[in-house]
Amino acid sequence: MSPDWPRLPDEDLRSYRNQGFREERTLSLLLREQAAARSGATALVSRSGRLTYAELDARVDRLAHGLSGLPVRAGERVLVRLPNREEYVVTLFALLRIGAVPVLALPSLGPAEVESLAETSGACALVVADRYGRTDPREEAARIAERLPRVRHVLVAGDPGEAPARSLASLDPGTAPRREEAAHPEDLALLLLSGGTTGTPKLIPRTHADYGYNARASAQACGTGPDTVYLAVLPVAHNFTMVSPGIVGVLAAGGTVVLCPDPSPTTAFPLIARERVTLTSLVPALVPSWLEEAGRTREDLSPLRTLQVGGARLDEGTARRIGPELGCRLQQVFGMAEGLNSYTALDAPEETVCTTQGRPLSPADEVLVVDESGEPVPPGTAGELLTRGPYTLRGYYRARELDALRFTPDGFYRTGDLVLRTPEGDLVVVGRIKDQVNRAGEKIAAVEVEEHLLSLPGVRSAALVGVPDPHLGERSIAFLTAEGPAPSREEVRAALLRRGAAPFKVPDEVRSIPALPLTGAGKVDKRRLREMSTG
Ligand code: OOB
């Protein structure tokens, strides 16, 4: 039987280790060490209150005890779909401490996607919140548990509702002995959801050693230390909010994490003022509303030293407004859940910060920019970014057939991003060759939506493209050919939601045309479709 995920070759592992490019501790030991060093310092602030490092670490021990009593065993996968609440951080570290593997699911996913993640990962438990916006994730989790016999437990942050679901609080024994770490640093730590270019979700395996290194090296690159107060504005399960430097990097450095329940500036600004937040991270689509609100707010934003922006392309005009209007410095972040993080340096010239996505985090990150035949292109020329390094995956989880497409034979990950290198050596993301729409930082695999569209009665062919949008970065347009009357956007929306797709995957616009344009090779000509939509 082939392994669930390909590990680094021994030789590379040794070499990275010798150079200090792998973390030698498990992720929950990073928290434990800070708890020993600064037990009374504030680790986590949320709507549920404040936890010192000692309190957070003890909560983690107690939930770890409760979880292993269920039992959840080392190596088992547990799907975690929680919004920015205290329970997320406690659950994450408790699972890591017992060696179980959290599968991080964004709350914005639809039920079909959550089910598919639970199935692909073989999850033994689902952890959900008692509410998310207007939806009740508990009902959805119960349905999934009914269909997937491997799912033995549904655990709820807050009110568990109907049995057999249980609250996370009920697993807290009140007191529990200190637990030893169950995992080895080179073990699988967690599974992340890839933005995807295929119809089924791909899971990204990350080890304690690579994720911990990603977090700690990022913390260093971002000047993170005990006086850092980080506001987690984007969903906590996003890689950006987790390790760039995010929750894990900030806690590993002894700083304070403040959870922001939603990304609006009217929620975030009072928290920045009250908690004296020094660092936060946003996707570009949120920046304009933050700038606008900064112009009228009475809140004191002066504690904020750095605003990180990443996840999608930030336009230069907006980038230049950040310093003067928010009174902090900008750091651009180009990252991917698969691994590679690239940052503009905190002391880089304004020109570099506003026009590039900086440089790879690790001296051991290998970056190639290649043309269509795989040959390196000269600086200043755009090509596909290939990357390999100490915290970048070598293959997806349980997807050996896919690896041949997404990795070169010598282990470079084909990012599908078009980049160029400036003469100074900074990366600039100029486009994308992967068939994906990046809608406000949320990644949509075109083929996934196309499959949904083809299921609609009368639809003969379908193609999804992303086109520039001033608010979202990109919005999605579905082109359809249909027999008889084409479905309206409303009908498309209803159908996608009925099929369990996430609301953000519903096309922003639906157009019916007589025939899809084809390339010389007979493929759907998406470039032409994009021209048709803007011209
Ligand atoms: C982050 O991670 P993912 O996995 O949601 O998406 C990765 C993809 C990249 O391959 C690229 O296509 C796009 O998102 N992207 C950017 C970008 N940052 C990410 N495109 C242009 N400019 C940027 N600055 O999005 C992510 C993970 C960790 C840190 C930050 C972002």
Side-chain angles (χ1 to χ4, degrees):
M1 219 175 73
S2 68
D4 285 335
W5 52 283
R7 289 170 183 268
L8 284 176
D10 285 345
E11 202 180 312
D12 293 0
L13 191 59
R14 251 194 314 276
S15 150
Y16 290 148
R17 271 218 197 112
N18 290 341
Q19 299 174 82
F21 300 144
R22 302 284 284 183
E23 179 56 58
E24 308 257 347
R25 288 160 293 187
T26 59
L27 294 167
S28 85
L29 195 56
L30 294 174
L31 171 67
R32 174 84 89 201
E33 287 187 357
Q34 290 299 333
R38 56 190 88 251
S39 59
T42 305
L44 187 63
V45 181
S46 70
R47 280 205 173 151
S48 307
R50 315 173 79 80
L51 293 177
T52 64
Y53 270 92
E55 286 163 345
L56 174 59
D57 195 50
R59 282 274 302 273
V60 168
D61 266 340
R62 286 178 352 232
L63 183 60
H65 191 83
L67 285 165
S68 48
L70 278 174
V72 172
R73 302 180 190 88
E76 286 193 305
R77 278 79 56 212
V78 173
L79 188 134
V80 179
R81 183 180 180 237
L82 292 175
N84 297 12
R85 301 169 49 146
E86 184 185 89
E87 292 95 331
Y88 172 81
V89 180
V90 178
T91 307
L92 175 78
F93 282 100
L95 290 168
L96 293 168
R97 191 157 284 173
I98 63 173
V101 179
V103 183
L104 301 188
L106 295 170
S108 60
L109 292 182
E113 293 144 354
V114 177
E115 178 165 345
S116 162
L117 269 183
E119 191 169 15
T120 314
S121 63
C124 74
L126 311 176
V127 184
V128 298
D130 53 6
R131 61 171 187 286
Y132 177 64
R134 272 176 295 166
T135 64
D136 187 341
R138 297 171 304 185
E139 282 172 15
E140 178 187 305
R143 273 196 300 273
I144 294 173
E146 249 171 52
R147 275 199 292 267
L148 301 181
R150 273 174 171 276
V151 177
R152 304 191 301 267
H153 312 284
V154 173
L155 306 171
V156 181
D159 173 5
E162 278 169 36
R166 299 183 55 168
S167 73
L168 284 169
S170 74
L171 298 180
D172 185 336
T175 57
R178 192 187 145 102
R179 290 187 78 85
E180 292 308 313
E181 297 296 315
H184 180 275
E186 290 298 340
D187 287 346
L188 182 63
L190 33 77
L191 291 167
L192 304 172
L193 180 59
S194 155
T197 50
T198 62
T200 44
K202 280 176 300 174
L203 289 169
I204 298 165
R206 304 288 304 255
T207 60
H208 291 267
D210 85 67
Y211 216 50
Y213 171 66
N214 190 158
R216 301 235 308 162
S218 293
Q220 214 165 20
C222 303
T224 308
D227 56 356
T228 298
V229 182
Y230 174 68
L231 187 68
V233 171
L234 298 172
V236 279
H238 195 282
N239 204 46
F240 195 2
T241 330
M242 279 288 282
V243 286
S244 300
I247 295 169
V248 180
V250 171
L251 291 177
T256 301
V257 171
V258 180
L259 299 177
C260 195
D262 74 77
S264 69
T266 44
T267 307
F269 287 2
L271 284 172
I272 292 176
R274 191 186 84 198
E275 300 298 331
R276 307 205 62 76
V277 167
T278 61
L279 172 71
T280 190
S281 38
L282 295 180
V283 289
L286 290 170
V287 175
S289 67
W290 277 50
L291 293 176
E292 205 176 300
E293 183 62 21
R296 47 173 184 247
T297 186
R298 292 189 167 184
E299 301 290 348
D300 175 17
L301 302 181
S302 67
L304 190 63
R305 290 202 287 264
T306 310
L307 174 67
Q308 299 181 300
V309 181
R313 205 185 87 84
L314 175 65
D315 70 278
E316 187 186 333
T318 308
R320 289 197 188 274
R321 289 175 54 194
I322 289 172
E325 295 182 31
L326 275 170
C328 66
R329 78 189 146 211
L330 164 67
Q331 178 175 50
Q332 292 214 41
V333 186
F334 164 49
M336 53 201 72
E338 279 83 355
L340 183 72
N341 283 185
S342 176
Y343 294 96
T344 55
L346 295 179
D347 58 358
E350 190 196 324
E351 189 64 21
T352 310
V353 171
C354 293
T355 61
T356 81
Q357 284 68 53
R359 297 181 191 183
L361 174 61
S362 173
D365 280 322
E366 295 172 79
V367 157
L368 297 173
V369 185
V370 301
D371 64 18
E372 276 153 19
S373 53
E375 293 301 317
V377 297
T381 309
E384 186 185 6
L385 173 70
L386 309 185
T387 185
R388 182 170 73 174
Y391 58 95
T392 296
L393 84 176
R394 297 290 175 111
Y396 288 98
Y397 185 75
R398 296 185 175 169
R400 292 295 66 75
E401 25 1 285
L402 193 74
D403 291 346
L405 295 174
R406 297 298 300 273
F407 296 82
T408 66
D410 46 3
F412 279 83
Y413 167 58
R414 299 182 203 269
T415 64
D417 289 316
L418 276 177
V419 305
L420 57 80
R421 265 197 141 149
T422 66
E424 294 74 36
D426 293 296
L427 292 172
V428 179
V429 184
V430 295
R432 189 178 332 121
I433 53 174
K434 55 189 167 192
D435 199 1
Q436 197 181 68
V437 180
N438 188 337
R439 186 183 187 276
E442 299 209 82
K443 318 299 186 303
I444 305 168
V447 60
E448 195 186 322
V449 176
E450 289 158 4
E451 279 170 14
H452 288 307
L453 294 170
L454 287 171
S455 75
L456 283 157
V459 173
R460 273 217 186 123
S461 59
L464 189 81
V465 296
V467 299
D469 178 89
H471 306 294
L472 299 166
E474 278 179 22
R475 79 195 140 91
S476 57
I477 304 189
F479 286 91
L480 302 174
T481 66
E483 216 171 75
S488 66
R489 176 172 184 273
E490 207 32 57
E491 284 161 341
V492 166
R493 197 180 82 86
L496 256 70
L497 296 184
R498 203 169 48 241
R499 290 170 58 86
F504 71 84
K505 292 183 182 171
V506 174
D508 294 299
E509 204 181 309
V510 175
R511 292 193 197 175
S512 164
I513 51 175
L516 295 181
L518 299 180
T519 64
K523 286 203 207 167
V524 174
D525 189 347
K526 292 209 165 173
R527 189 189 301 194
R528 178 82 196 100
L529 286 175
R530 273 187 284 271
E531 282 165 12
M532 284 163 60
S533 60
T534 47

